């Protein structure tokens, strides 16, 4: 060849363009675009991308399988970048990587790509030889040319997809600048929005998915309900051992202390106080009585009461205690020494009860239970209890005696006949009726049975009970522990340390005051003294009599006599309109209603009537305000005894209360109308320093206004000086004397009074409700022996206390009382405390009429109608009405030989 070429000559028939090399993956080189030439008329316009057209070049055609460019649609109103910028962007190096090309600004897309209408059927220039051909529609790629596009590893954002399809964006949303999502966002989108490879779920598919989730959730919950209890049962079955009868009597020393921490008593039950017996030694009727009292389904239940456990769980979730247990659970609980009252203990009881029920027979369980349970009086086990209560072996017990012992099991400090005979009879009836209901006792035998007599209660060695006055304090503490859900069994076995509110010095003074006053008096006289701190309700001194294993007279219900009159004043001050203590009444004796000697008062206000204890005036006042309102005022103050069906004579104390209740009610008045629950216990701690109970620092509960309380106190301030019982401090008080059925005799005598710091009630009477006389033979009255006990105690109790300003400023409700001594006629004043009005003028007390007048049957204008207005015992407000001579009474008259009159 010319030129010395030695290359092979081309073969014939192979003429044509040189072979094409594969297109590189980089973007093709961009050719120079010559200036646009004017187009002749009628000549077709160059298409977009044609050199010289001035329009942006279209992207190069993609090969099969090659991902296409992402299409980014500008928002509506977004300007296109200038053509120069688009040309400059197109003049990239042919070596530029396709990935870099995909990251160019979204403005490279032309208008034809924006609306999508110019891609179908349009022609474009190849860019190589200038020929025209039909444009091939480009399919979208999963990978975007933009960094903000969605990759295969990301979940598409439905909002951005919608914006891209519509050309609209939300306010404040950048649709093209969001980078790849983080792992947490990716996980969230996976869980919420599904995978990017899946299409969005239809509503039907979403509903089906929800149904699947609910179904598996329910199945999982049911599985947990079945598997978790089984797992807990299996763990407990392996972990907990079955206790023995000896384990259930693992006694520890319990201590009851005074408020200052010094010991009051120590409870050390002895092992010798328990005697084991076999099931054959326990009569069948005794066993049946225990089942009737404690667990009537014992022989049929699996060892636990599921409903009782649910009640216990519910009660404890609400902050309460208790819930009911079977005999097996009680036996197991007694063996679980040191476990607190909790759901954990109930769980342990359940597991161990099941194991005991599997490993022992029912007779063995019942025998172990009866050999370990505490019956009170220091007796552990049925044999020791039989000796303590009846002085005989268990094999000789009758049905009635067995029922009494069975009833005592639940709460020995409550059901022991020596402590509360009335409650003991109620419990015995419950057990006997239960035996009849179960078919264990014939109805005829039940009808013939009588409540059995028990031995005198003795102070067992180490039981913590005393034969002197301290025994009543210990019993009161035990009773309060029982009310708190802490049983005698726990107190005997958990090594409890109980701190009381009893002040040792105050206790000594109370006991000595009662003993000193009654020294040399008739032997049949009994006394009770209760002192309460009005600010807390804590009992600081408690004397229930000399016999600590006998009746506690501080809890024995007796008629309070005229100590109930302050509650009538409370009701009057709360009346609408209120009746102030300056209201004047006629206190002259009426037919069937008389006053004590020296208590007559023709014209007295309420304070004067309180000072001399005029019965007529307070009976009238109680009728006016309503006996039910008087009872409500007493309950608000703190009286808890039933005051059912009261009448006007409630003002004279014809309903029974206890000295503890009366002291608590007077303490409420002393604290300005704020009631605090009376209590003996301030704290209970176990041997391992767990606090089982601590008295809350309550602010009390306001029962009536401070002004009403202060006016009531004002009405009571003249009693103590008038009776010569002053203690050198401002003190409010009231006497009470209950007359006997025998003329001129009294059955009960009271004195109750208070300072701002201490409220004390004293009672003196007898066991047989018989007449009470002093050593000199005179009837005992409230201001004599009870007043002496109260004065002696209160003088010592307050002598070390700092002098106070008394009860605060007195602001009268209605008319203030007269300053005149009792029995001196005060100036007539309106009896109504309402502002002067024509209706209140009729309340003014006129001078007594010279001759009796017939009672009126209509209430006076503006005054409240009295019950039975025609009753001569309850005349009108002016008190002037008296029965006509010879007129028969129309109401039941009071017999002062039976009901209290003073």
């Amino acid at each position: 060849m010319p030129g010395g070429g030695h290359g092979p000559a081309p073969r014939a028939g192979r003429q044509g363009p040189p072979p094409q090399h594969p297109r590189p993956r980089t973007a093709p080189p961009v050719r120079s675009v010559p200036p646009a030439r004017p187009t002749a008329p009628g000549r077709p316009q160059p298409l977009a991308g044609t050199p010289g057209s001035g329009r942006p070049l279209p992207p190069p055609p993609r090969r099969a399988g090659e991902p296409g460019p992402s299409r980014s649609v500008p928002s509506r109103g977004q300007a296109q970048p200038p053509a120069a910028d688009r040309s400059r962007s197109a003049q990239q190096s042919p070596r530029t990587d396709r990935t870099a090309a995909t990251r160019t600004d979204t403005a490279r897309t032309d208008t034809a790509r924006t609306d999508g209408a110019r891609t179908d059927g349009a022609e474009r220039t190849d860019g190589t030889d200038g020929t025209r051909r039909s444009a091939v529609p480009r399919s979208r790629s999963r990978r975007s040319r933009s960094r903000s596009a969605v990759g295969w590893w990301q979940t598409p954002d439905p909002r951005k997809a919608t914006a891209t399809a519509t050309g609209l964006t939300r306010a404040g949303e950048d649709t093209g600048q969001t980078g790849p999502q983080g792992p947490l966002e990716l996980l969230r989108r996976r869980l919420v929005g599904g995978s990017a490879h899946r299409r969005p779920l239809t509503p039907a598919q979403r509903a089906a998915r929800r149904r699947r989730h609910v179904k598996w959730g329910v199945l999982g919950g049911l599985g947990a309900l079945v598997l978790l209890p089984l797992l807990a049962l299996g763990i407990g079955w392996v972990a907990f051992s079955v206790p023995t009868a000896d384990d259930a009597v693992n006694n520890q020393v319990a201590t009851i202390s005074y408020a200052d921490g010094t010991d009051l008593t120590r409870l050390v039950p002895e092992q010798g106080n328990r005697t084991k017996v076999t099931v054959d030694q326990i009569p069948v009727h005794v066993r049946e009585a225990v089942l009737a009292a404690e667990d009537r389904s014992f022989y049929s239940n699996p060892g636990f009461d599921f409903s009782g456990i649910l009640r216990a769980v519910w009660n404890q979730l609400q902050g309460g205690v208790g819930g009911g247990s079977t005999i097996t659970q009680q036996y197991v609980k007694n063996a679980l020494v040191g476990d607190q009252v909790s759901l954990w203990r109930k769980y342990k009881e359940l597991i161990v009860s099941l194991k005991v029920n599997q490993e022992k027979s029912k007779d063995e369980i019942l025998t172990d239970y009866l050999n370990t349970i505490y019956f009170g009086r220091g007796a552990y086990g049925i044999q020791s209890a039989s000796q303590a209560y009846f002085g005989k072996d268990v094999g000789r017990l009758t049905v009635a005696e067995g029922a009494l012992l069975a009833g005592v099991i639940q709460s020995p400090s409550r059901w022991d006949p020596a402590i509360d005979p009335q409650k003991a009879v109620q419990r015995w009836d419950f057990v006997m009726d239960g035996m009849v209901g179960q078919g264990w006792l014939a109805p005829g035998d039940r009808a013939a049975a009588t409540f059995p007599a028990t031995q005198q209660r003795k102070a067992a060695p180490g039981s913590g009970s005393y034969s002197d006055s301290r025994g009543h304090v210990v019993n009161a503490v035990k009773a309060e522990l029982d009310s708190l859900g802490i049983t005698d069994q726990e107190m005997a076995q958990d090594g409890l340390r109980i701190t009381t509110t009893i002040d040792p010095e105050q206790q000594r003074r109370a006991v000595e005051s009662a003993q000193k006053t009654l020294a040399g008096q008739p032997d049949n006289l009994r006394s009770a003294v209760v002192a309460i701190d009005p600010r807390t309700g804590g009992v600081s001194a408690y004397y229930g009599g000399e016999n600590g294993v006998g009746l506690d007279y501080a809890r024995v219900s007796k008629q309070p006599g005229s100590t109930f009159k302050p509650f009538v004043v409370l009701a009057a001050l709360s009346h609408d309109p209120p009746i102030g203590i300056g209201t004047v009444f006629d206190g002259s004796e009426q037919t069937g209603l008389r006053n004590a000697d020296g208590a007559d008062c023709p014209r007295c206000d309420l304070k004067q009537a309180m000072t001399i204890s005029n019965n007529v005036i307070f009976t009238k006042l109680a009728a006016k305000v309503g006996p039910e309102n008087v009872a409500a005022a007493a309950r608000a103050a703190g009286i808890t005894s039933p005051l059912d069906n009261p009448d006007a004579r409630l003002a004279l104390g014809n309903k029974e209360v206890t000295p503890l209740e009366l002291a608590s009610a007077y303490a409420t008045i002393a604290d300005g109308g704020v009631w605090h629950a009376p209590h003996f216990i301030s704290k209970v701690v176990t041997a391992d320093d767990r606090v089982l109970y601590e008295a809350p620092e309550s602010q009390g509960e306001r029962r009536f206004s401070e002004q009403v309380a202060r006016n009531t106190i004002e009405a009571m301030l003249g009693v103590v000086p008038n009776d010569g019982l002053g203690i050198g401090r401002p003190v409010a008080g009231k006497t009470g004397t209950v007359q006997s059925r025998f003329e001129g005799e009294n059955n009960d005598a009271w004195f109750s009074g208070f300072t701002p710091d201490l409220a004390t009630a004293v009672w003196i009477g007898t066991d047989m409700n018989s007449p009470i006389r002093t050593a000199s033979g005179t009837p005992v009255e409230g201001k004599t022996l009870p007043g002496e006990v109260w004065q002696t105690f209160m003088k010592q109790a307050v002598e070390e206390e700092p002098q106070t300003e008394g009860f605060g400023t007195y602001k009268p409700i209605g008319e203030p009382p007269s300053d005149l001594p009792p029995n001196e006629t005060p100036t007539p004043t309106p009896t109504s405390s309402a502002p002067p009005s024509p209706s209140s003028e009729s309340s003014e007390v006129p001078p007594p009429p010279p001759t009796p007048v017939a009672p009126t049957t209509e209430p006076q204008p503006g005054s409240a109608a009295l019950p039975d207005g025609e009753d001569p015992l309850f005349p009108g407000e002016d008190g002037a009405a008296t029965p006509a001579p010879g007129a028969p009474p129309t109401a039941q008259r009071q017999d002062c030989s039976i009901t209290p009159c003073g």
Side-chain angles (χ1 to χ4, degrees), residues 249 251 267-275 378-380 384 460-463:
V249 189
N251 299 306
L267 307 176
V268 191
E270 298 179 351
Q271 286 289 347
N273 226 12
R274 181 172 69 97
T275 303
Y380 287 84
S384 297
S463 65

Side-chain angles (χ1 to χ4, degrees), residues 65-149:
E66 181 179 341
S70 63
R71 301 177 62 187
S72 177
V73 181
S75 300
R76 185 175 298 174
Q78 179 177 348
Q80 291 285 350
D85 292 343
R86 292 198 299 271
S87 299
R88 190 181 305 115
S89 298
Q91 296 175 3
Q92 299 294 331
S93 171
R95 304 295 298 175
T96 303
D97 187 84
R98 176 177 296 273
T99 303
T102 60
R103 295 177 180 175
T104 56
D105 191 90
T106 56
R108 292 182 55 185
T109 9
D110 54 36
T111 307
R113 292 173 55 199
T114 301
D115 55 18
R118 301 182 183 180
T119 57
D120 295 335
E123 292 185 353
R124 65 179 182 178
T125 305
D126 180 84
T128 304
D129 52 5
T131 60
R132 298 172 181 261
R133 65 180 178 180
S134 299
V136 180
R138 296 184 305 277
S139 62
R140 300 186 181 181
S141 172
R142 285 186 178 178
R143 293 178 181 262
S144 173
R145 291 174 179 261
S146 171
R147 295 189 60 176
S148 63

Side-chain angles (χ1 to χ4, degrees), residues 783-798:
K783 64 182 178 181
T784 58
L785 295 184
E788 291 176 21
V789 174
W790 181 89
Q791 183 185 35
T792 302
F793 169 73
M794 290 293 287
K795 269 187 175 180
Q796 298 175 359
V798 302

